[in-house]
Amino acid sequence: MSTKTIIAICQSGGEFLLERDGSMSYNGGEAYAVDLDTETSVTDFKQDLADTFGYSVDNMLIKYFLPGNRKTLIMISKDKDLKRMINFFKDSDQVDVFVMPQGGGTGALIVSSTPASRSSRTTGSEAVVLASSPVVTSHTDDFPTTNENSDLDIDNEISPESFTLENEQNVATQWEKIITGVDQRFAGFDEFREALHKFSIAHGFRYKYKKSDSHRVSVRCKSVSCPWRIYASRLPTTQLVRIKKMIPGHTCNGAAPKAGYRATRGWVGNLIKEKLRNSPNYKPKDIVADIQREYGVRLNYSQAWRAKGIAKEQLQGSYKESYSQLPYLCKRIMQTNPGSLATVDAKEDSSFHRVFFSFHASISGFQNGCRPLIFLDDIPLDAKYQGTLLIATAADGDDGVFPLAFAVVDDETDEDNWFWFLTQLKFAAPVPHPITFVANFNKGLKDSLVNVYGGECFHAHCLRYVAEKLNNDLMGRFSHEARRLMVQDLYTCAYAPKLEDFEQCCQDLKALSPEAYDWVINSEPHHWANVFFVGTRYNHMTSNFGQLVYNWVAEAVEFPITQMIDVLRGKLMELIYTRRVDSNRWTTTLTPSMEEKLRDEALKAQSFQVLPSESSIFEVHGESVEMVDVSQWDCSCKSWQLTGLPCCHAIAVIEGIGRSVYDYCSRYFMADSYRKTYAQSIYPIPDVEGPPLDADDKLVIVKPPTKRAPGKPGKRAKLKQAGSIELIRRQMQCSKCKGLGHNKKTCKEVETDEGSSTPEVLAIEGSSTPEVLAIEMGEDINNNGSS
């Protein structure tokens, strides 16, 4: 596979020009073109540039601008930085690279094109900083005298020892003259505070506000004996702020002042905002490294993580305010996508309760092209205010996931939420025939299905949840290996197509453990076993069918709720369009995956012998003898009824009587049905972040009371995986008595015979190692169940 190659236009010897909007351009110097790819090392790149420009490899700086951002220069110092730059410009053919000697010299000069008297003469590496809110104190006209009682000590959020000036080329050194002295003017107090903030970082000192109000600001060095002072006030009848007095010198000799600085998480958040916009996966550890390299400031992981949170909120909007926009968003969904259903519900105290949305394209596609089969599942949201996403997905004719409806609720365990979700779903997507639901079997969901759909539905228990309950109920009484075998037998029972196969599997389970056998018999197998289930689920056994949707949620979960909904809408819009375009190229009668399955069955049928019995009933001899009734679409192997596609025995009969096998396939697998599924489009919502409340809106939504605990979040629980991979934890096992939950040192059994074991505990040799054993319950067990 070829690697991505781009042309690096390497420039040196010129100067940077700072424009009024803060962006930079490069003027003059020489240029040299170099081919770069992901295999290029920084060492080779530097050596090539050193030979061209006459620099020393060890004393050379290489920098570039991020795409769409010409305000911040990014340094390349290691192979990872070079690969990251190539990845940033993967959609471009070339990138501008700037080379300069580490000691300064040509190529490092930044010339401003703005008036010299204004504080807008900042360097191109500066970012917009949100200033702290002014603190109102008493008013004086003259330069304030030192008064310890009136000091406003703005504590630093970063430890004093974390400031370093080891790298003289960091960006902070370009802020040393951002404040020049008396008569310097600023657009307002926010701009003055921003400049003061940067000035203190560049010179490595801390300061205190003596006075700060809407008319004047007085600041002194935090070191009590240091005379450094600055006083600025607003010019009459204008918004301009001018420095009236300044004592520039420090007598603290730099030791105490340089021990600390003011680098708040809001300041860091603003610095990294543009980088985060271009690289959403910008990691806190990379933030720590970049801030130290570019600004000479050391952060810890927690500070970088919080700063990233502030930057994300500035880019994406407020989590809190997004809840107030939900009524507006629901209106816009139904206006831009007629036929859709979107509704939001609040509690008595106006706090958020739940929101439901289903687009017309999904509703129409389900009604016109999908099987009457719906998968219900829930995904815990690791968002700022938590909650749970309820999802209803269908299966298209190619066995691809087809999202039908979503709901965000405040508490998934609330039985009323499932009832409300299913009520909205039935109203949004009514169908004239019974629906099979594959879902969990918790009491709230079971009762809600009965109450909402009544006799118009069949409830298939998700086999993954059945296996999980079996494992949990028997944990502590059986070893991990024994429970693994029990779960495997459970899957074999579930997939068994005939009653005699089911009974044989149960007997195998009974031989392993009579207790496990009783559990399976009493677990309502008519809801999960193929041989007893009366609905049609097309051999789909688990509810976590929509892995694609889980991936969407993983990308959108960190957004405010309105943007999360719009991200899901955008993903669904793209999915429908892509599949519609792809299906229009098909030339087959069935969808591609169904054509392949039918072809495999036809190959098996070539060696079968068909004997006619009656007009529509045939006897087929192969590895076994099966009876096929073509008029009823029935085969004694039960595969035809379970999947909706003719089995190998049915194909042998159909081809033998000279008919088309496609006439005996479920209409849901036809390519035309697939095209009907994706015939409608989802339309954009141009103003998702609209007004929080219309004048005629009666519904007011505020954030839910539940809030994620402060600090770094714990490891996020993995989203459910397709194929249903379960984890069965190996328990501690005593090597004396073979009992579970203790070891030989804490064993209370009286040792009689070496290696004796308690009769009521079943243990498998070699199962004493404490580890986690992953059991593949997907393809391997599925194949075992169907064999």
Side-chain angles (χ1 to χ4, degrees):
M1 179 178 173
S2 61
T3 58
K4 169 66 177 177
T5 301
I6 62 174
I7 300 175
I9 307 300
C10 306
Q11 304 176 61
S12 182
E15 63 181 14
F16 289 101
L17 298 179
L18 184 62
E19 307 299 335
R20 291 181 179 272
D21 61 354
S23 63
M24 286 188 286
S25 60
Y26 196 76
N27 185 36
E30 299 177 349
Y32 174 63
V34 179
D35 289 336
L36 297 178
D37 58 39
T38 53
E39 303 298 326
T40 306
S41 67
V42 168
T43 302
D44 294 340
F45 187 33
K46 282 189 173 182
Q47 186 62 56
D48 194 355
L49 296 176
D51 295 341
T52 301
F53 294 118
Y55 294 150
S56 169
V57 173
D58 299 327
N59 195 32
M60 178 193 305
L61 296 177
I62 305 175
K63 298 186 179 184
Y64 67 97
F65 290 114
L66 289 171
N69 176 15
R70 297 191 64 85
K71 296 182 180 180
T72 304
L73 283 165
I74 306 301
M75 183 179 295
I76 299 175
S77 60
K78 52 184 180 292
D79 290 342
K80 183 178 179 181
D81 297 335
L82 183 60
K83 291 180 179 179
R84 185 182 291 130
M85 182 192 73
I86 296 173
N87 184 56
F88 288 155
F89 290 87
K90 60 184 179 182
D91 296 329
S92 303
D93 296 327
Q94 65 182 41
V95 56
D96 291 327
V97 175
F98 308 99
V99 186
M100 59 199 76
Q102 189 168 0
T106 60
L109 180 64
I110 298 181
V111 179
S112 174
S113 61
T114 58
S117 63
R118 295 294 307 272
S119 66
S120 54
R121 279 178 45 192
T122 56
T123 65
S125 58
E126 294 173 24
V128 178
V129 176
L130 292 179
S132 305
S133 300
V135 182
V136 179
T137 61
S138 59
H139 177 89
T140 57
D141 293 327
D142 200 1
F143 197 96
T145 57
T146 301
N147 185 345
E148 297 300 329
N149 295 329
S150 65
D151 285 352
L152 296 174
D153 190 353
I154 312 298
D155 290 333
N156 299 317
E157 294 191 9
I158 301 175
S159 56
E161 62 273 12
S162 62
F163 183 63
T164 176
L165 292 177
E166 294 175 356
N167 185 0
E168 294 183 356
Q169 293 299 317
N170 63 55
V171 178
T173 59
Q174 301 170 4
W175 295 340
E176 291 179 352
K177 295 184 179 180
I178 193 172
I179 292 181
T180 58
V182 175
D183 289 335
Q184 185 179 2
R185 287 174 291 172
F186 301 86
F189 281 113
D190 287 350
E191 185 175 323
F192 170 74
R193 292 188 181 91
E194 174 189 331
L196 178 61
H197 194 147
K198 296 173 181 177
F199 185 76
S200 68
I201 292 176
H203 290 274
F205 69 93
R206 290 183 293 177
Y207 57 88
K208 290 184 177 182
Y209 282 103
K210 295 289 292 181
K211 292 188 180 298
S212 180
D213 56 32
S214 59
H215 299 285
R216 71 207 67 216
V217 171
S218 174
V219 184
R220 72 171 181 84
C221 180
K222 193 172 183 181
S223 177
V224 176
S225 60
C226 183
W228 185 91
R229 299 286 192 277
I230 191 169
Y231 176 71
S233 63
R234 188 188 304 276
L235 292 174
T237 71
T238 72
Q239 295 297 319
L240 296 179
V241 173
R242 181 174 66 92
I243 296 178
K244 295 182 66 176
K245 294 183 180 180
M246 181 176 178
I247 302 177
H250 285 275
T251 60
C252 44
N253 297 324
K258 290 184 180 180
Y261 56 91
R262 299 188 64 246
T264 65
R265 60 187 181 184
W267 175 78
V268 177
N270 279 278
L271 291 178
I272 67 173
K273 184 167 61 176
E274 292 303 320
K275 292 184 181 180
L276 188 62
R277 187 198 307 275
N278 296 318
S279 302
N281 295 324
Y282 196 21
K283 297 180 179 179
K285 66 178 182 179
D286 295 328
I287 295 174
V288 172
D290 290 347
I291 293 298
Q292 180 173 350
R293 181 180 65 251
E294 297 180 18
Y295 299 95
V297 175
R298 290 197 189 106
L299 307 176
N300 60 40
Y301 186 93
S302 178
Q303 292 161 342
W305 182 82
R306 288 186 172 88
K308 180 180 177 180
I310 289 177
K312 286 174 64 176
E313 188 158 313
Q314 292 174 5
L315 292 173
Q316 301 167 359
S318 169
Y319 288 89
K320 186 185 301 184
E321 294 177 0
S322 66
Y323 287 96
S324 66
Q325 298 168 352
L326 283 173
Y328 173 81
L329 176 60
C330 290
K331 282 186 177 181
R332 294 298 292 149
I333 288 176
M334 292 189 288
Q335 289 172 357
T336 56
N337 292 265
S340 303
L341 177 62
T343 180
V344 62
D345 194 11
K347 295 181 178 179
E348 293 182 357
D349 60 357
S350 295
S351 64
F352 170 77
H353 192 189
R354 52 207 176 187
V355 59
F356 174 95
F357 55 100
S358 180
F359 293 93
H360 171 67
S362 296
I363 297 170
S364 174
F366 173 71
Q367 293 173 329
N368 296 315
C370 289
R371 290 160 269 183
L373 176 66
I374 294 179
F375 304 86
L376 301 177
D377 210 351
D378 60 86
I379 303 176
L381 297 177
D382 186 21
K384 187 169 184 178
Y385 294 104
Q386 301 179 354
T388 301
L389 181 70
L390 307 183
I391 57 175
T393 55
D396 63 27
D398 203 37
D399 262 351
V401 59
F402 184 72
L404 176 57
F406 302 87
V408 179
V409 300
D410 60 344
D411 186 3
E412 185 270 330
T413 59
D414 185 357
E415 297 179 9
D416 182 54
N417 281 331
W418 272 119
F419 178 84
W420 180 80
F421 176 74
L422 292 172
T423 301
Q424 303 300 326
L425 179 62
K426 184 178 181 180
F427 178 76
V431 290
H433 34 260
I435 300 176
T436 296
F437 288 94
V438 183
N440 192 359
F441 49 87
N442 66 65
K443 189 176 186 305
L445 182 52
K446 287 175 64 175
D447 294 345
S448 297
L449 279 172
V450 174
N451 294 333
V452 175
Y453 282 90
E456 302 175 7
C457 75
F458 304 100
H459 182 187
H461 290 176
C462 173
L463 188 56
R464 179 171 56 88
Y465 284 105
V466 177
E468 183 179 293
K469 182 169 176 56
L470 170 65
N471 177 60
N472 292 337
D473 288 352
L474 300 182
M475 186 178 293
R477 287 172 284 177
F478 298 94
S479 69
H480 77 285
E481 183 67 17
R483 286 182 284 113
R484 185 187 69 82
L485 295 175
M486 293 173 191
V487 171
Q488 182 173 331
D489 286 345
L490 172 71
Y491 268 71
T492 306
C493 290
Y495 281 94
K498 300 179 181 179
L499 180 60
E500 54 268 26
D501 296 334
F502 178 84
E503 291 175 345
Q504 180 59 51
C505 295
C506 288
Q507 290 303 315
D508 294 341
L509 183 60
K510 189 174 183 179
L512 182 63
S513 167
E515 187 176 355
Y517 169 82
D518 293 338
W519 190 98
V520 169
I521 295 301
N522 295 322
S523 64
E524 302 180 306
H526 59 281
H527 281 296
W528 53 265
N530 272 337
V531 69
F532 298 120
F533 187 67
V534 295
T536 305
R537 55 182 170 180
Y538 300 87
N539 225 27
H540 285 284
M541 308 295 283
T542 61
S543 62
N544 60 330
F545 172 69
Q547 181 62 42
L548 177 66
V549 179
Y550 304 148
N551 295 337
W552 292 355
V553 175
E555 294 181 25
V557 68
E558 291 295 337
F559 287 95
I561 187 169
T562 50
Q563 292 195 33
M564 182 185 74
I565 292 173
D566 195 54
V567 168
L568 295 177
R569 179 207 56 78
K571 296 286 187 181
L572 184 54
M573 178 178 67
E574 182 181 5
L575 175 75
I576 290 177
Y577 173 80
T578 302
R579 290 183 176 176
R580 179 170 63 246
V581 171
D582 291 343
S583 65
N584 288 333
R585 303 191 187 105
W586 296 348
T587 58
T588 56
T589 304
L590 302 181
T591 61
S593 66
M594 297 305 163
E595 284 281 359
E596 184 177 354
K597 291 180 181 180
L598 198 64
R599 187 164 50 249
D600 293 341
E601 293 297 312
L603 291 176
K604 299 176 186 176
Q606 292 178 356
S607 60
F608 291 172
Q609 181 182 7
V610 179
L611 302 177
S613 174
E614 293 184 8
S615 59
S616 63
I617 299 177
F618 298 83
E619 183 178 304
V620 181
H621 290 256
E623 296 180 357
S624 61
V625 179
E626 305 292 348
M627 300 300 296
V628 175
D629 187 345
V630 291
S631 64
Q632 299 296 320
W633 290 27
D634 180 77
C635 179
S636 57
C637 76
K638 301 303 179 185
S639 176
W640 196 356
Q641 300 93 305
L642 291 175
T643 63
L645 284 177
C647 61
C648 54
H649 312 103
I651 292 176
V653 172
I654 295 169
E655 291 181 343
I657 62 178
R659 297 181 183 177
S660 173
V661 69
Y662 295 118
D663 294 338
Y664 294 90
C665 296
S666 172
R667 69 178 180 87
Y668 299 112
F669 300 144
M670 299 294 173
D672 287 341
S673 293
Y674 185 94
R675 295 185 184 101
K676 290 179 182 178
T677 302
Y678 296 99
Q680 301 296 322
S681 299
I682 291 181
Y683 299 101
I685 305 175
D687 46 357
V688 174
E689 298 179 0
L693 193 65
D694 290 342
D696 57 347
D697 241 326
K698 301 272 179 87
L699 182 61
V700 178
I701 306 288
V702 298
K703 67 177 183 67
T706 305
K707 184 178 179 180
R708 186 171 61 189
K712 178 184 174 183
K715 186 176 181 181
R716 183 184 304 169
K718 290 184 178 179
L719 291 175
K720 298 157 185 172
Q721 300 292 316
S724 187
I725 298 177
E726 299 296 333
L727 292 179
I728 294 183
R729 186 171 295 277
R730 188 190 295 268
Q731 291 178 279
M732 183 184 296
Q733 185 177 29
C734 178
S735 59
K736 284 185 178 181
C737 69
K738 304 301 181 184
L740 301 177
H742 65 277
N743 55 29
K744 65 179 182 179
K745 290 184 179 181
T746 58
C747 182
K748 297 182 180 179
E749 291 286 327
V750 178
E751 184 174 2
T752 54
D753 297 317
E754 185 67 21
S756 62
S757 60
T758 55
E760 60 274 342
V761 176
L762 175 65
I764 305 297
E765 288 299 324
S767 61
S768 58
T769 305
E771 64 186 57
V772 175
L773 181 64
I775 301 177
E776 177 78 26
M777 295 186 182
E779 182 178 353
D780 294 340
I781 294 182
N782 295 351
N783 292 339
N784 184 26
S786 60
S787 60

